[in-house]
Amino acid sequence: MRPLLLLAPLGWLLLAEAKGDAKPEDNLLVLTVATKETEGFRRFKRSGQFFNYKIQALGLGEDWNGEKGASSGGGLKVRLLKKALEKHADKENLVILFTDSYDVVFASGPRELLKKFRQARSQVVFSAEELIYPDRRLEAKYPAVSDGKRFLGSGGFIGYAPSLSKLVAEWDGQDGDSDQLFYTKIFLDPEKRERINITLDHRCRIFQNLDGALDEVVLKFEMGHVRARNLAYDTLPVLIHGNGPTKLQLNYLGNYIPRFWTFETGCAVCDEGLRSLRGIGDEALPTVLVGVFIEQPTPFLSLFFQRLLRLHYPRKQMRLFIHNHEQHHKAQVEQFLAEHGSEYQSVKLVGPEVRVANADARNVGADLCRQDRGCTYYFSVDADVALTEPKTLRLLIEQNKNVIAPLMTRHGRLWSNFWGALSADGYYARSEDYVDIVQGRRVGVWNVPYISNIYLIKGSALRAELLQTDLFHHSKLDPDMAFCANIRQQDVFMYLTNRHTFGHLLSLDSYQTSHLHNDLWEVFSNPEDWKEKYIHENYTKALAGKLVEMPCPDVYWFPIFTETACDELVEEMEHYGQWSLGDNKDNRIQGGYENVPTIDIHMNQISFEREWHKFLVEYIAPMTEKLYPGYYTRAQFDLAFVVRYKPDEQPSLMPHHDASTFTINIALNRVGVDYERLAHNEAQWSAISRGPAHPALTGARRNYSPHDAAGVLLLTSLAWDAPAVSEPAEPPLGALSRQTP
């Protein structure tokens, strides 16, 4: 029977522990004052519910007479607390936690809170601060403290109900008076302090006020849990209070605490409160006003509009507002609207001739949605956003936030459309998690102080919290910073999601408008967009060994350029217009003599040599290494040019050998339509291939509308690097060094 005697007490212990889990909720009541349900208040409630706190909010619907962040107005909190305590004054075992809510989160549960409160051996415990507030003249009256924070903070205190009733019994002030000053004077009165038995949480065991203590507080991740740790006292506070100017730091901590994001679980709350669009017919989807802003010369605007058209959202549920500040883009915008404007519910264009400033135009866009009750969402997109995920708009709507932005970064850089923190003067500062969020090591939905370039705003927020019509002016700040400052001022959270790959930001730093087709020069600054616009969709398949033809030994055909690339190269050359005369004298080359002349324009004449070399390195060199194993190239070349053939000008070119190791030829218009291909029979190839020769790669393109039925060919002669293996220095016999159209 002895084992049974041992097991019975153990069972009782387990039962007692289980009952103990419920007891803190029975003996603890959390009171707070919230005059309206802000996002900060909802965050507070969510963190409390996570730990099963019993919370009662006082004052909902009442007017707050004080200024935000000021000491005035706190008298309302004392009045409401005094009234609420009337029915609890005789409950000696009831512990009441009174705390702010808009800028507070719980980091642990009732059991730890009560344990630490009882260890304090006082009837009332106030939070403590590093800085005295609101009257510095009272500093000398504070009791000396050998270890810990010295000054009282009124944003959080805990005590037995009868003692708290005594604490507020003398209140007869106005709602606009300072609650902190009221409690401070009671604490500094030795007789009252002793009678009520008040102490301060000097070492931040229960309360962590962030003002004056930002350097002390770090996140502590441990086995699926996350806490705020005070490094100065090695404590784990139960409540975190972003008092004073530390609201943004609390937002950062609130992304993680309590267990909202951990390394083990990832984001635990990202799917809370979603607004599902699944199964909703097109005509029932919410109406979205899309604001497009072209504020400076921007590359790949044609791609921007194509991506806008690819959004998985019915255009009849979208209204369009476009502000184009740039005369340079006027024709592109008007062409897009002429072709697709009628597909949208409505269109409003403000062009460069109107001369509307950036901030004013953005206010117009937001106001169009604000004034229209039928506008459910306002989707603002700058032209430098490459929106590659067609489901972006749906995904943002489903997150169901007042303001949310998708993560966008610049290619190969840490530059993005959000800031994780702000400096003391309100500009960029790097948060601890910024790099991890940008690089996708931490994935979730993040409360951040700054977003730009692309974001979604609820129309209901524009008509309520963000009712002010001038969102994009604030002091002397730029429109993007002014927008964020105004939103923060209204206690509206801005969220950033990196749960999906939405796209990226274009680099505008080196964009020039001196050419006809300026995007051609963007291969360095915006390589992803350059590839999408100019490299054939089947190039990757060709690189994998598919779609490659070999019409004769060591000559290969494969897709390389898009129709747009061919069109723009031809048009760029025609726009430049300085074609050579096609005779042997040619001052553009070393020695001034061309043995086999053509009518052409060299790449260096249009300042395109550097960009062309980049193209060869990125797209041609990998193909040569695939097709000619053992031979490698750095794509160095002496000549790269576009040659033009016309029946009445230069209809053909005699067979010859280039002074190069291999040649890349790209036909820029259509075989069989714009020019005739040389017949490929064995006799002709044999005649052409006699003697030392070299291989040729021919890039193919399709369906090009010609210029005056002329054959246009792009040629580049290149050299191998030293072979990587022991092989003949001269590669196998090839066919053509130049292909006759």
Side-chain angles (χ1 to χ4, degrees), residues 171-408:
W171 172 259
D172 61 355
Q174 302 298 312
D175 286 357
D177 293 344
S178 170
D179 60 325
Q180 180 138 325
L181 185 59
F182 169 71
Y183 294 127
T184 297
K185 288 182 177 180
I186 293 176
F187 177 74
L188 295 181
D189 184 320
E191 187 274 329
K192 292 179 180 178
R193 183 170 68 242
E194 184 176 349
R195 175 169 53 86
I196 302 175
N197 191 5
I198 306 172
T199 190
L200 304 186
D201 181 28
H202 297 291
R203 295 174 56 83
C204 305
R205 301 183 73 243
I206 298 173
F207 304 99
Q208 176 65 67
N209 291 308
L210 295 178
D211 193 16
L214 292 180
D215 292 339
E216 299 175 6
V217 180
V218 297
L219 287 171
K220 178 185 179 183
F221 295 94
E222 188 174 43
M223 298 184 64
H225 293 73
V226 57
R227 295 286 296 268
R229 179 186 178 190
N230 186 296
L231 296 174
Y233 310 114
D234 195 22
T235 55
L236 300 174
V238 177
L239 285 92
I240 315 300
H241 183 198
N243 58 320
T246 64
K247 305 290 187 286
L248 300 185
Q249 185 68 10
L250 180 76
N251 291 348
Y252 161 73
L253 296 173
N255 285 325
Y256 299 92
I257 298 170
R259 278 180 274 175
F260 289 164
W261 193 99
T262 68
F263 288 102
E264 291 80 6
T265 65
C267 182
V269 295
C270 285
D271 290 328
E272 286 185 4
L274 294 183
R275 175 180 182 171
S276 176
L277 299 181
R278 186 174 301 174
I280 299 178
D282 286 357
E283 68 285 348
L285 286 171
T287 300
V288 179
L289 173 63
V290 180
V292 173
F293 296 91
I294 309 165
E295 302 301 326
Q296 57 188 313
T298 305
F300 302 107
L301 190 63
S302 59
L303 275 185
F304 173 86
F305 284 126
Q306 289 174 27
R307 291 160 176 158
L308 193 63
L309 292 171
R310 289 199 291 263
L311 284 177
H312 290 176
Y313 208 84
R315 289 170 208 154
K316 284 304 179 185
Q317 295 302 109
M318 300 168 71
R319 300 166 187 173
L320 200 57
F321 169 71
I322 299 179
H323 177 238
N324 174 28
H325 185 264
E326 290 300 322
Q327 187 70 32
H328 173 71
H329 293 304
K330 190 173 188 295
Q332 288 173 287
V333 173
E334 291 176 350
Q335 180 182 353
F336 169 74
L337 291 180
E339 294 175 357
H340 301 285
S342 61
E343 300 168 16
Y344 292 89
Q345 196 177 106
S346 66
V347 174
K348 180 178 177 62
L349 170 64
V350 177
E353 65 281 353
V354 182
R355 296 182 180 275
V356 176
N358 185 347
D360 296 330
R362 294 179 187 274
N363 275 328
V364 169
D367 214 36
L368 285 173
C369 184
R370 180 185 291 113
Q371 294 174 359
D372 182 359
R373 290 277 171 184
C375 178
T376 312
Y377 292 95
Y378 176 56
F379 187 40
S380 178
V381 189
D382 291 0
D384 60 349
V385 170
L387 195 57
T388 57
E389 172 51 73
K391 295 185 291 184
T392 295
L393 184 52
R394 285 178 174 267
L395 292 168
L396 295 180
I397 291 174
E398 288 182 336
Q399 284 296 157
N400 200 24
K401 304 295 186 185
N402 278 338
V403 182
I404 187 168
L407 174 66
M408 298 282 168

Side-chain angles (χ1 to χ4, degrees), residues 144-159:
V145 174
S146 59
D147 182 29
K149 300 185 184 301
R150 183 182 178 191
F151 306 112
L152 178 145
S154 64
F157 51 91
I158 185 171

Side-chain angles (χ1 to χ4, degrees), residues 550 552-556 596 624 628 631 639 641 653-665 685 688-698 715-720 729-739:
M550 187 169 67
C552 69
D554 293 321
V555 174
Y556 298 92
V596 186
T624 65
Y628 305 115
Y631 292 89
L639 284 179
F641 54 92
L653 196 64
M654 68 177 186
H656 65 282
H657 298 294
D658 282 349
S660 59
T661 312
F662 70 100
T663 299
I664 171 70
N665 301 333
W685 283 126
I688 294 168
S689 299
R690 293 193 189 102
H694 58 268
L697 294 92
T698 302
L715 301 99
T716 307
S717 300
L718 305 98
W720 298 118
E730 197 69 39
L733 288 182
L736 290 177
S737 61
R738 295 191 184 180
Q739 185 176 2

